[in-house]
């Protein structure tokens, strides 16, 4: 950027930190958020005082400190808000001055997709929304886009009767592109920031975790209770993917693209001894077409003892001995390289039609929400939960260091428990020896 000021940095961070605070309040983890934020504040102040080596430009650190103080203590909050109002007009003028450079939407999407390593499907989706924008607002270059243009686009979609959820998806994709342009100094403002429509149906239709009754219905279904393997369930994927999601919190595609060599035994230090621990490596691999949602998604997750008792590690060892390339070879990638797309459709039909879980808000991804709830109820620290699940860090402190050690994560997984009735079914499955 041509101007790097603490005030501007504070503006950029203020809404993000407030959003994290509000989400923590909803999650019941506000005290943890405050503690982490104060720790971050102390660390940043130490850098500004010269006690710790700075990891960023001092003006950036000063801006982040000011934003944290504004949220935690209300210090200078009014001044920062006033600066936002003054900055808006200046930034649009600055955008106009940049109009001697001309970046088309197509060039921006291509640059974004190449730098962020996006697949063809994601690039195509973002290209499509730029066409929607040009058709309704006009063919301005990226440098000339203003907040008023984004609002006009949003209003036209509303007038056309486009649903709120669909509108917000389009606005999110535009925001992604324009924020990328902002980060690459093509524009002076985040023109799409904060613009969305209220979706009255979103809260009502938001995914929810499996409650105990739904979890019991799933685990009592014929795949787990009787050993059935429907053709749409793609062999052992029908049995293992739901259980893996329940005990790891991993995403469906992360599990579906596992290879036998991704499940290995590693040694961890426990006091003066070294103990073997089974772990799952969730990682990207361009050679095999393995993709992850974000950088934080690459991680190591210890295998829960319940999965070991059910025979998961024996299943993996058999796959290695047989020379299989994939843990679930019946899952085939679609045109976008996604291995679990069709399987996910089968699972929804199985969950509704066979297991009798009728609530449309409960889907496969709900097992990830269930893991989050169970981990919290098992006393696993929030930062550890995020590392196990591959969530991006919530604040700057999360980017320092390499995270919790494998020993700490392994100990956390041993504490992880699911509801009693569901665990009783899991225990009964051991006698069936699906290995």
């Amino acid at each position: 950027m041509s101007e790097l000021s603490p005030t501007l940095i504070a503006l950029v961070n203020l809404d993000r930190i407030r959003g994290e605070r509000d989400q923590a309040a909803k999650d019941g983890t506000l005290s943890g958020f405050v503690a982490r934020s104060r720790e971050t504040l102390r660390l940043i102040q130490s850098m500004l005082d010269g006690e710790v080596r700075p990891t960023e430009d001092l003006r950036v650190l000063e801006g982040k400190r000011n934003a944290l103080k504004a949220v935690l203590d209300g210090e200078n909050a009014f001044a920062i808000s006033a600066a936002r109002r003054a900055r808006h007009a200046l930034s649009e003028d600055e955008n106009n001055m940049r109009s001697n450079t001309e970046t088309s939407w197509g060039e921006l999407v291509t640059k974004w997709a190449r730098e962020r390593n996006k697949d063809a499907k994601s690039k195509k989706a973002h290209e499509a929304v730029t066409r929607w924008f040009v058709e309704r607002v006009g063919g301005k270059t990226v440098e000339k886009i203003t907040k008023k243009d984004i609002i006009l686009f949003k209003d036209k979609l509303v007038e056309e009767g486009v649903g709120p959820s669909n509108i917000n998806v389009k606005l999110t994709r535009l925001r992604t592109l324009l924020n990328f342009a902002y980060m690459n100094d093509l524009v002076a403002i985040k023109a799409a920031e904060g613009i969305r429509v209220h979706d009255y149906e979103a809260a009502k239709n938001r995914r929810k975790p499996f409650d105990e009754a739904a979890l019991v219905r799933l685990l009592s279904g014929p795949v787990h209770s009787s050993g059935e393997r429907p053709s749409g369930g793609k062999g052992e994927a029908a049995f293992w993917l739901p259980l893996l999601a329940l005990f790891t919190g991993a995403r469906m595609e992360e599990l579906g693209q596992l290879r036998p060599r991704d499940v290995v035994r590693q040694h961890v230090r426990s006091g003066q001894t070294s103990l073997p621990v089974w772990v799952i490596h969730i990682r990207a691999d361009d050679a095999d077409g393995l993709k992850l949602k974000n950088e934080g998604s690459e991680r190591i997750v210890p295998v829960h003892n319940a999965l070991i008792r059910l025979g998961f590690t024996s299943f993996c060892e058999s796959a290695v001995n047989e020379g299989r390339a994939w843990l679930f070879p019946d899952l085939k990638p679609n045109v976008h390289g996604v291995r679990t797309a069709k399987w996910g459709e089968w699972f929804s039909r199985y969950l509704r039609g066979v297991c009798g879980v009728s609530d449309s808000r409960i889907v496969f991804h709900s097992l990830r929400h269930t893991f989050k709830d169970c981990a919290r109820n098992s006393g696993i620290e929030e930062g550890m939960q995020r590392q196990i699940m591959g969530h991006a860090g919530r604040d700057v402190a999360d980017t320092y260091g390499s995270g919790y050690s494998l020993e700490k994560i392994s100990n956390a997984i041993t504490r992880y428990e699911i509801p009693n009735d569901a665990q009783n079914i899991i225990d009964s499955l051991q006698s069936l020896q699906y290995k």
Side-chain angles (χ1 to χ4, degrees):
M1 289 182 62
S2 58
E3 178 188 348
L4 184 64
S5 72
T7 299
L8 179 56
I9 298 301
L11 283 172
V12 171
N13 283 272
L14 188 61
D15 290 338
R16 175 185 63 79
I17 297 171
R18 282 175 172 163
E20 292 169 357
R21 176 199 61 191
D22 294 345
Q23 186 60 51
K26 292 178 183 177
D27 293 343
T29 58
L30 184 57
S31 61
F33 165 81
V34 172
R36 289 196 314 276
S37 297
R38 292 204 179 278
E39 179 185 345
T40 301
L41 184 57
R42 285 192 294 271
L43 178 60
I44 290 175
Q45 190 62 55
S46 296
M47 293 181 185
L48 290 171
D49 292 341
E51 298 172 0
V52 177
R53 183 177 180 180
T55 57
E56 298 179 270
D57 187 287
L58 292 178
R59 289 167 294 180
V60 173
L61 291 171
E62 186 180 347
K64 289 181 176 180
R65 178 200 63 185
N66 293 346
L68 279 167
K69 283 187 173 182
V71 173
L72 293 173
D73 304 319
E75 186 175 326
N76 292 325
F78 180 81
I80 294 175
S81 296
R84 183 196 305 279
R85 293 191 291 272
R87 177 74 191 169
H88 180 69
L90 293 173
S91 296
E92 290 198 1
D93 289 341
E94 189 176 343
N95 260 9
N96 290 332
M97 286 191 297
R98 291 166 188 251
S99 60
N100 60 342
T101 62
E102 296 185 349
T103 304
S104 69
W105 282 109
E107 291 169 334
L108 180 63
V109 173
T110 298
K111 179 178 174 63
W112 166 79
R114 182 169 53 242
E115 184 172 317
R116 297 295 172 84
N117 195 29
K118 296 297 180 179
D119 58 25
K121 180 182 179 182
S122 184
K123 182 182 179 184
K124 185 176 179 180
H126 285 75
E127 287 172 337
V129 78
T130 64
R131 288 195 295 271
W132 275 65
F133 181 83
V134 169
E135 289 166 2
R136 288 156 181 81
V137 178
K140 287 185 175 182
T141 58
V142 172
E143 289 82 356
K144 294 183 179 180
I145 300 298
T146 68
K147 208 173 194 74
K148 291 179 180 178
D149 295 321
I150 307 300
I151 293 172
L152 176 60
F153 176 61
K154 181 258 295 180
D155 290 344
K156 284 183 176 291
L157 294 179
V158 172
E159 291 171 7
E160 294 171 17
V162 179
S165 178
N166 198 348
I167 293 175
N168 285 333
V169 168
K170 289 176 169 54
L171 290 171
T172 296
R173 287 172 179 160
L174 277 182
R175 183 159 51 250
T176 296
L177 294 172
L178 290 172
N179 286 359
F180 176 80
Y182 173 83
M183 291 173 63
N184 284 273
D185 202 26
L186 294 174
V187 297
I189 58 171
K190 295 181 177 181
E193 198 68 27
I195 300 176
R196 57 182 294 108
V197 296
H198 184 70
D199 189 351
Y200 293 95
E201 296 295 317
K204 187 170 69 174
N205 296 325
R206 187 176 294 123
R207 291 168 181 163
K208 58 180 290 190
F210 278 77
D211 55 31
E212 188 164 8
L215 199 53
V216 166
R217 284 182 177 273
L218 170 62
L219 296 174
S220 300
V223 165
H224 293 96
S225 66
S226 305
E228 291 187 12
R229 295 294 182 267
S231 59
K234 303 301 179 185
E236 294 307 302
F239 182 82
W240 287 117
L241 291 191
L243 293 172
L244 286 168
L246 177 60
F247 284 99
T248 67
R251 301 173 180 91
M252 179 165 59
E253 183 65 10
E254 290 175 341
L255 299 170
Q257 66 183 15
L258 287 174
R259 302 160 300 187
R261 67 177 182 271
D262 293 326
V263 183
V264 297
R265 186 181 282 144
Q266 291 187 199
H267 282 77
V268 299
R269 178 68 59 183
S270 179
Q272 298 300 314
T273 61
S274 179
L275 300 175
V277 174
W278 280 99
V279 299
I280 300 172
H281 285 264
I282 296 176
R283 51 193 165 193
D285 188 331
D286 290 340
D288 277 345
L290 307 186
K291 297 184 181 298
L292 298 177
K293 185 175 181 180
N294 52 54
E295 290 182 7
S297 298
E298 188 153 325
R299 60 202 187 276
I300 297 175
V301 181
V303 179
H304 194 281
N305 282 333
L307 293 172
I308 296 174
R309 289 194 298 267
L310 284 171
F312 177 66
T313 51
S314 298
F315 169 72
C316 295
E317 288 178 317
S318 295
V320 171
N321 293 335
E322 294 168 10
R324 296 208 303 262
W326 303 95
L327 206 50
F328 305 108
D330 293 334
L331 298 177
K332 305 299 182 184
N334 64 7
V335 294
H336 301 296
V338 179
R339 305 186 73 87
T340 56
K342 286 294 183 183
W343 187 92
E345 295 174 7
W346 167 81
F347 181 80
S348 294
R349 294 193 301 270
Y350 174 74
L351 187 65
R352 305 275 178 264
V354 180
C355 299
V357 178
S358 58
D359 192 333
S360 61
R361 295 170 296 176
I362 298 179
V363 295
F364 184 90
H365 196 77
S366 296
L367 290 166
R368 187 165 161 84
H369 293 264
T370 305
F371 178 89
K372 178 74 173 178
D373 283 350
C374 291
R376 185 184 296 120
N377 293 333
S378 300
I380 298 175
E381 296 85 344
E382 186 181 354
M384 207 171 288
Q385 295 172 30
R386 294 202 305 273
Q387 183 171 326
I388 293 170
M389 298 178 71
H391 277 309
R394 284 189 171 180
D395 52 50
V396 67
D398 288 336
T399 65
Y400 299 132
S402 57
Y404 291 94
S405 68
L406 181 56
E407 178 189 357
K408 295 286 188 184
I409 294 293
S410 297
N411 290 337
I413 287 294
T414 61
R415 303 201 308 269
Y416 176 83
E417 295 180 346
I418 63 174
N420 288 335
D421 287 350
Q423 184 60 57
N424 289 338
I425 295 175
I426 294 289
D427 292 341
S428 71
L429 295 182
Q430 295 175 42
S431 64
L432 297 177
Q433 296 182 348
Y434 294 135
K435 302 178 182 180

